[in-house]
Amino acid sequence: GQNIDQPTEMTATEGAIVQINCTYQTSGFNGLFWYQQHAGEAPTFLSYNVLDGLEEKGRFSSFLSRSKGYSYLLLKELQMKDSASYLCAVRAEKRNYGQNFVFGPGTRLSVLP
Amino acid sequence: DTGVSQDPRHKITKRGQNVTFRCDPISEHNRLYWYRQTLGQGPEFLTYFQNEAQLEKSRLLSDRFSAERPKGSFSTLEIQRTEQGDSAMYLCASSLARAGLYEQYFGPGTRLTVT
């Protein structure tokens, strides 16, 4: 089976740093994505990791450990507009060019003043 | 190109009716995906096309669901004999199949309510 786990909710203060964890068990792992989704809107892409290590992109960084089936998204200098759900998704490559993306349930982050 | 578009944005239908949704991907994108999302959950993969070929179909996609992408451009998702459990947001996403590029761009979604 395929399973992705994330904390359901997190709260942090404006200006702080927050780390959102994601653990996964999938077949044919071929990359991990983080998406941001504001309430009532479509997900928007934040980051992509396929090799172990840290990818930094402005205030957002994402880390991957394939051996541990673990990733985290790090958000620095939090702003009120960062209040949203953060979705972890794994791309599972299958034979015959099949693939699918398995999304986690999302972590709802609330940034407080 | 302004991104992925979906039509309609909202659909209310009675149980047992058929509904069809349309997705127009970003023009140069050859991969198109359909997802279903319910409140508080992440998107659930339904199916994906590369050009006009439907290459993967989730077990979630029962016989009542069918998707097409006849010319490798826009796609339609049809739900026959709708049930209340079909109420959800239906998201379409597209991507360009090129080495190292896997980012999916999502449309605004079609919110289906079955009464």
Side-chain angles (χ1 to χ4, degrees), chain B residues 31-91:
Chain B
R31 287 187 173 173
L32 187 147
Y33 307 81
W34 284 101
Y35 294 89
R36 179 173 64 189
Q37 186 175 27
T38 53
L39 197 62
Q41 299 297 314
E44 291 177 291
F45 171 83
L46 294 177
T47 189
Y48 117 89
F49 292 84
Q50 178 150 317
N51 300 313
E52 66 275 9
Q54 188 174 21
L55 295 186
E56 192 71 31
K57 192 173 171 180
S58 165
R59 282 172 291 179
L60 293 172
L61 218 63
S62 75
D63 295 347
R64 298 184 297 106
F65 287 70
S66 62
E68 294 183 343
R69 194 182 183 200
K71 297 181 181 178
S73 56
F74 74 92
S75 175
T76 57
L77 177 69
E78 180 183 18
I79 309 174
Q80 296 181 326
R81 306 181 302 281
T82 52
E83 302 172 357
Q84 286 187 320
D86 297 331
S87 295
M89 177 72 85
Y90 289 84
L91 293 167

Side-chain angles (χ1 to χ4, degrees), chain A residues 1-3 25-27, chain B residues 59:
Chain A
Q2 304 189 92
N3 190 49
Q25 290 176 304
T26 61
S27 58
Chain B
R59 282 172 291 179

